[in-house]
Amino acid sequence: MTAHPMPAASACRRRWPGLAALLLGEAMNLLDATIVQVAAPAVHADLGGPLSDVQWYGAAYTLPFAVLLITGGRLGDIAGRRRMFVLGVTVFTAASMACALAPAPGPLIAFRAVQGAAAALIIPQTIGLIKAMFSGEETAKALGSIGPVMGLAAVCGPVVGGVLTHADLFGSSWRSAFLVNVPVAAVVLALARNLPENRAPHRPALDWPGTVLAALGTGLLVYPLIGGNLRELTLQDWLLLIAGLLVLALFALQQSRTHRPLLEPSLFTHRGFPAALVTSTAFFAVTNGLTVVVVLQLQLDAGVGVLASGLSLLPWSAGLAVASWWAGSRLVRRYGRRVMPYGLGVLLAGLLAALVAYRTTTEAGHFPLALPLALALVGLGAGLFTPAFFTLALHPLRPHELGSAAGLLNAVQQLGATLGVAVLGSVYLNGPGTHAPQTACWVAAALLAVAWVASGRVGTGEGA
């Protein structure tokens, strides 16, 4: 890597404020996704439009985020990681203000997509800039700070979304959930002056045809799933799904033949890495889709306000934070890959408990009293699973593959989130009355079974 030199004493003083800029930038992106999940029903009540727009408020952010992550990383390699980070934060801030001022669902969804594209410029620069600023044991310490900050953002997101929307500051209602990004981004940009400019020593190639094919294929798959009745898809829906699969097949063919692939080909010689991609997609589809179902059921069926629905997710967030710390600091080192199936088992127990909670709520307008316990179990299971999964998914890879692998895992995580919101949200919105949350939980359990089967091969050695 190359970086503009700076005096050693100055670099020593500035690296920690620079790290704060990177961590706050990442947390801002995660907060924005979780804040909107809670505020989305209030947005719909204010702006109107079809109920499926509630799903698009999240999916429009995560879909471009997923597809453009790897390209965003390569742009940092070429043009400079600090430059791309600052550009991403600037565009993200402008898009946040535009979201807050959106007069109708269509513009809001469009601005959310711009936010997602900007996030794809911000997130991939973090690891490269940390490695440029730190050395030795300090590098591990700086990299190790990412997990707890992300965990704290996950805990705070639903609560902040509920509090801001409920507070209705200056009559802003849900719009404050986007306006909060403006002061946060101002702090990030002020601290970003401490970041060194840094880029790859060899200019990597950009695979624009691959990026376009990946975006088009995933978009064609997601579009008919959002808001549609999955049991009664129209001919047009099926044609779009088939077209999406064909475009993704063309993308795979293009990747195998191009000299500058978007994806690192050697990653797929590890028989455990494709399994990790499947596991990540299914797991994050469950967790993100279930969050949407919980919020929609509480606000639309149980008649719970936006603040109470945000606070109802606290057991999930707290369980996730505690279990992630416990697994990351102790359990993974002691028990290794055995932590993954235990985590998925606890998560399944939470899903079954949610089924019982929803089954005992047979009438609209009633809060599922056992739901907080169920969500706490879901959070504990997710927290146990995640550190073990990411440790094992990257373990057998060679050093030159780690950057591409981390970027691809982040991309499929966002893609899984998009699919989860589309599938579970549609199952709930088109389900049979008070049984809709139960149906969504059964679908989530099926996706969790896919994650459990695929996780058995995560972290295994190279293929033939």
Side-chain angles (χ1 to χ4, degrees):
M1 296 180 183
T2 60
H4 297 321
M6 65 174 66
S10 176
C12 182
R13 290 193 303 269
R14 296 172 63 178
R15 67 187 188 278
W16 295 109
L19 176 63
L22 297 175
L23 295 178
L24 192 57
E26 288 214 6
M28 180 178 65
N29 286 275
L30 181 56
L31 273 169
D32 199 73
T34 53
I35 282 175
V36 173
Q37 285 178 343
V38 175
V43 178
H44 174 262
D46 183 28
L47 298 184
L51 194 54
S52 60
D53 285 346
V54 172
Q55 296 165 271
W56 276 114
Y57 296 144
Y61 178 84
T62 55
L63 186 56
F65 189 9
V67 172
L68 297 175
L69 262 171
I70 296 175
T71 300
R74 291 192 178 181
L75 285 171
D77 292 340
I78 295 170
R81 297 186 175 98
R82 179 186 180 276
R83 182 177 299 169
M84 287 298 103
F85 179 84
V86 170
L87 176 62
V89 173
T90 303
V91 174
F92 188 90
T93 308
S96 297
M97 294 178 67
C99 286
L101 298 173
L108 177 56
I109 291 170
F111 295 138
R112 286 289 284 163
V114 176
Q115 279 188 306
L121 287 178
I122 298 170
I123 300 301
Q125 318 311 332
T126 300
I127 293 178
L129 285 170
I130 286 176
K131 289 184 176 180
M133 292 189 295
F134 296 89
S135 61
E137 293 183 359
E138 283 191 341
T139 303
K141 183 178 179 180
L143 290 172
S145 63
I146 295 176
V149 170
M150 295 303 98
L152 182 61
V155 170
C156 294
V159 179
V160 172
V163 169
L164 287 176
T165 305
H166 176 76
D168 193 24
L169 299 173
F170 308 107
S172 60
S173 182
W174 57 269
R175 299 178 190 274
S176 59
F178 295 105
L179 289 173
V180 72
N181 291 327
V182 177
V184 175
V187 174
V188 172
L189 291 173
L191 292 172
R193 292 179 295 179
N194 296 285
L195 296 171
E197 189 52 279
N198 174 261
R199 55 177 57 87
H202 304 290
R203 180 187 177 95
L206 284 174
D207 181 16
W208 289 115
T211 301
V212 171
L213 288 172
L216 180 60
T218 51
L220 287 170
L221 281 179
V222 170
Y223 182 81
L225 298 178
I226 290 187
N229 189 337
L230 301 185
R231 295 174 298 177
E232 300 177 4
L233 292 176
T234 66
L235 176 61
Q236 178 181 334
D237 293 334
W238 282 112
L239 289 176
L240 289 173
L241 289 171
I242 293 170
L245 292 173
L246 289 176
V247 171
L248 290 178
L250 182 60
F251 167 69
L253 179 64
Q254 182 263 351
Q255 290 292 289
S256 67
R257 294 188 175 183
T258 185
H259 296 295
R260 49 179 190 181
L262 185 65
L263 308 178
E264 178 64 48
S266 63
L267 289 174
F268 298 92
T269 64
H270 301 272
R271 63 177 181 234
F273 191 73
L277 298 180
V278 174
T279 302
S280 182
T281 302
F283 174 80
F284 286 103
V286 170
T287 54
N288 285 269
L290 190 60
T291 303
V292 170
V293 171
V294 169
V295 170
L296 288 176
Q297 192 278 331
L298 289 176
Q299 293 193 35
L300 300 182
D301 287 349
V304 172
V306 64
L307 177 60
S309 65
L311 294 176
S312 295
L313 292 172
L314 262 182
W316 181 330
S317 300
L320 176 66
V322 171
S324 294
W325 172 81
W326 189 30
S329 62
R330 298 188 180 185
L331 296 182
V332 175
R333 285 186 294 177
R334 184 170 182 178
Y335 298 106
R337 64 181 308 107
R338 285 180 290 174
V339 178
M340 278 198 302
Y342 290 142
L344 293 177
V346 175
L347 204 164
L348 178 60
L351 276 176
L352 296 177
L355 270 168
V356 173
Y358 287 128
R359 187 178 295 275
T360 57
T361 307
T362 56
E363 299 180 15
H366 289 263
F367 183 87
L369 295 179
L371 187 62
L373 174 60
L375 296 182
L377 287 173
V378 169
L380 287 170
L384 289 173
F385 171 84
T386 307
F389 168 74
F390 281 107
T391 300
L392 288 165
L394 299 174
H395 177 70
L397 303 181
R398 293 180 285 268
H400 72 277
E401 298 170 329
L402 289 176
S404 295
L408 188 52
L409 280 173
N410 274 320
V412 299
Q413 174 181 339
Q414 297 303 322
L415 179 59
T418 305
L419 291 173
V421 169
V423 173
L424 295 184
S426 295
V427 167
Y428 170 77
L429 292 175
N430 296 282
T434 56
H435 297 291
Q438 300 171 46
T439 306
C441 286
W442 282 119
V443 175
L447 289 170
L448 197 62
V450 173
W452 184 83
V453 172
S455 69
R457 303 196 69 176
V458 173
T460 54
E462 293 184 336

